[in-house]
Amino acid sequence: MAGEGRSKDLGKGLGKSGELDFPRPLTTVDVVIFTILDDSLQVLLMQRPAGEGEPFPLSLALPGGFVDVTKDRDLAACAARKLKEKTGVTSPYLEQLGSWGSATRDPRGWSATHAYFALIPADASVLANDAHWFPIRGGRLKDKLAFDHGDILATAIQRLRNKVEYTSLPAYLMPPEFTLPDLQRVYEIVLDRPLEKSAFRTRILSADMIEPVAKMRRGPNRPAQLYRLKKGSEPVYFVRTFNPPE
Amino acid sequence: MAGEGRSKDLGKGLGKSGELDFPRPLTTVDVVIFTILDDSLQVLLMQRPAGEGEPFPLSLALPGGFVDVTKDRDLAACAARKLKEKTGVTSPYLEQLGSWGSATRDPRGWSATHAYFALIPADASVLANDAHWFPIRGGRLKDKLAFDHGDILATAIQRLRNKVEYTSLPAYLMPPEFTLPDLQRVYEIVLDRPLEKSAFRTRILSADMIEPVAKMRRGPNRPAQLYRLKKGSEPVYFVRTFNPPE
DNA sequence: CATAGTTAGTTGTACAGTCCAACTTACTTA
DNA sequence: TAAGTAAGTTGGACTGTACAACTAACTATG
């Protein structure tokens, strides 16, 4: 950051703090919210409003909006606010994804958005009535999105998949209690390939991130041990990836 | 991104595109530029100007500055421009690091910076005369930095170290021709721990990212094979990390 | 000119963790 | 009571690192 450089760039002398008078890009925050629903990875999208002057009227878009300098202490708080407004979830996994800024991404002018991505269990959310889940099949979304939100979503999917190879991130997509086969299924949904059962169990159990509860999941066959996330557990990083496909 | 939400947040009706009239945060780009020099990881820093109204006068800071909406097509172009201005390097490894935005990080008002990090070989650079290399010892910088640049730098160091565990990133810190022991040394400098010679060689050579040139590095002892990066090579991701310390 | 010193590079054994496949266990349903 | 199914275990093959000892190729030195 600086003020330095700017006055030089323009090649003319500016009064003190004159450099603050230059055109400022629009600043927004968008959130890519993932969950697992119906045995599939899903993302939360909203329909753009139709009002006059609104860009991409009625298109699908990521939840987000302008940073409110009077309300948002910082970017993460702004992202958490959006998440809360749309899903009611307050304490999810929330990670910064990156930022996208250019002269052309928003017809209203030079704009930059700070993108976050969140993982929540589907059953923990109560959606705002203009928000809906959309399934991601084959690693992509069917629909076209407003702005460059398609790029942002693609990056988020890639980041999620990449990290799932060597971290415990899917744990944040689980309900409070779950079985190891449940967790493995979520890994497989995100990665879109089957994993080895025994290697999976060894890895997860030796990572010390979940603990058994004194209950079993009962069903039409052998009961499965229920587990919960150990509290305060940061994501775990494994020293190997699962063996990659092909 | 949206305009939606904003008018609702404020609880009052706004004329068309009225939402664009709200206070906009300052938008800047900063670049964390790493190199290897004197057997040590170093970062490029500049001294802040002393002019009236300038925040953090004479403090050390990352190179960066305001996005110039008339000049910068997008954020990456802006970062590349900063890098070019300070080092003369045009084609480095340049990756987005993240963004930092809050009401308090800049005394001039709510501001958000988009941080990038770059890796360049030291000998490829010709520094601007207000820029200098500063060594990072023990994973930290001695000096305090302006703004939240200390946080940004710490994040960059952490990200670099983390990725070096399982990628070929250090290759971008090397001169055009180098030996395997040279490359291993750079890994060791960044990670701040010794690596196994034979495992290191096996991994790098089987990654198909470098190729031998028909020359040897001669010295006071056994000559070493020289290699160069295969052109067009994206960073390589290994399926294991080196065995982590302790 | 031989020998010591130093760094490049290889080899071999131990070990850890995945892959793959077969197996046992515990339950429901017919 | 037997068949079916999913949970969970076990063991051998394989891959790649850890560790350590080894060989190779050069310079410097007495």
Side-chain angles (χ1 to χ4, degrees), chain A residues 177-206:
Chain A
E177 297 186 348
F178 54 90
T179 67
L180 278 176
D182 288 346
L183 183 58
Q184 181 174 348
R185 183 77 194 113
V186 170
Y187 270 84
E188 291 173 338
I189 288 168
V190 175
L191 294 178
D192 199 25
R193 72 171 197 269
L195 296 179
E196 261 310 301
K197 183 167 52 165
S198 57
F200 181 82
R201 296 177 68 92
T202 310
R203 171 183 287 210
I204 298 295
L205 289 175
S206 64

Side-chain angles (χ1 to χ4, degrees), chain A residues 12 22 31 35 66 86 92 119 130 139 147 172 186 193 200 214:
Chain A
K12 52 181 170 183
F22 280 89
V31 190
T35 199
F66 292 106
K86 303 308 176 196
L119 304 178
D130 49 354
F147 305 103
Y172 300 101
V186 170
R193 72 171 197 269
F200 181 82

Side-chain angles (χ1 to χ4, degrees), chain B:
Chain B
M1 312 215 24
E4 181 289 315
R6 181 53 180 271
S7 46
K8 189 170 65 182
D9 293 346
L10 288 170
K12 52 182 169 182
L14 291 165
K16 51 180 174 177
S17 77
E19 46 217 353
L20 296 178
D21 299 333
F22 281 90
R24 300 182 181 193
L26 295 163
T27 300
T28 61
V29 168
D30 295 303
V31 191
V32 184
I33 307 169
F34 289 115
T35 199
I36 299 286
L37 200 62
D38 298 334
D39 227 39
S40 151
L41 181 66
Q42 311 231 0
V43 64
L44 193 79
L45 297 175
M46 337 244 334
Q47 197 173 36
R48 298 276 312 157
E52 200 176 343
E54 288 286 356
F56 299 95
L58 302 180
S59 282
L60 288 173
L62 296 170
F66 292 106
V67 168
D68 185 333
V69 302
T70 64
K71 228 167 146 175
D72 298 314
R73 182 156 41 203
D74 56 36
L75 291 171
C78 180
R81 176 170 65 82
K82 307 283 179 199
L83 177 67
K84 174 78 189 309
E85 286 169 4
K86 303 309 176 196
T87 69
V89 173
T90 55
S91 173
Y93 180 79
L94 187 61
E95 165 184 323
Q96 199 181 61
L97 180 64
S99 55
W100 278 255
S102 77
T104 53
R105 61 182 296 279
D106 188 320
R108 294 168 294 191
W110 220 107
S111 88
T113 195
H114 304 264
Y116 281 75
F117 93 84
L119 304 177
I120 65 174
D123 60 339
S125 68
V126 181
L127 298 194
N129 52 18
D130 49 353
H132 299 280
W133 294 116
F134 290 79
I136 291 161
R137 306 270 183 205
R140 352 186 55 255
L141 190 75
K142 264 182 145 175
D143 315 75
K144 286 246 174 294
L145 299 186
F147 305 102
D148 50 5
H149 288 191
D151 295 339
I152 297 174
L153 176 59
T155 302
I157 293 169
Q158 200 182 335
R159 171 99 131 242
L160 176 63
R161 283 189 165 187
N162 191 40
K163 287 191 105 164
V164 164
E165 291 282 357
Y166 61 91
T167 71
S168 62
L169 279 204
Y172 300 100
L173 293 163
M174 305 306 290
E177 298 186 347
F178 54 88
T179 68
L180 277 176
D182 288 346
L183 182 60
Q184 182 174 348
R185 183 76 194 112
V186 170
Y187 270 84
E188 291 173 339
I189 288 169
V190 175
L191 294 177
D192 200 24
R193 71 170 197 269
L195 296 180
E196 262 309 302
K197 182 167 52 164
S198 57
F200 181 82
R201 298 177 68 91
T202 310
R203 171 182 288 211
I204 299 294
L205 289 176
S206 63
D208 194 43
M209 55 186 251
I210 61 177
E211 56 193 1
V213 297
K215 270 188 289 183
M216 306 290 279
R217 154 96 37 93
R218 323 200 118 262
N221 38 42
R222 178 173 174 172
Q225 179 64 53
L226 281 167
Y227 293 87
R228 68 171 166 229
L229 256 189
K230 284 197 177 176
K231 52 190 98 185
S233 62
E234 293 295 296
V236 174
Y237 288 74
F238 307 117
V239 298
R240 288 199 202 177
T241 63
F242 291 107
N243 268 22
E246 97 245 34

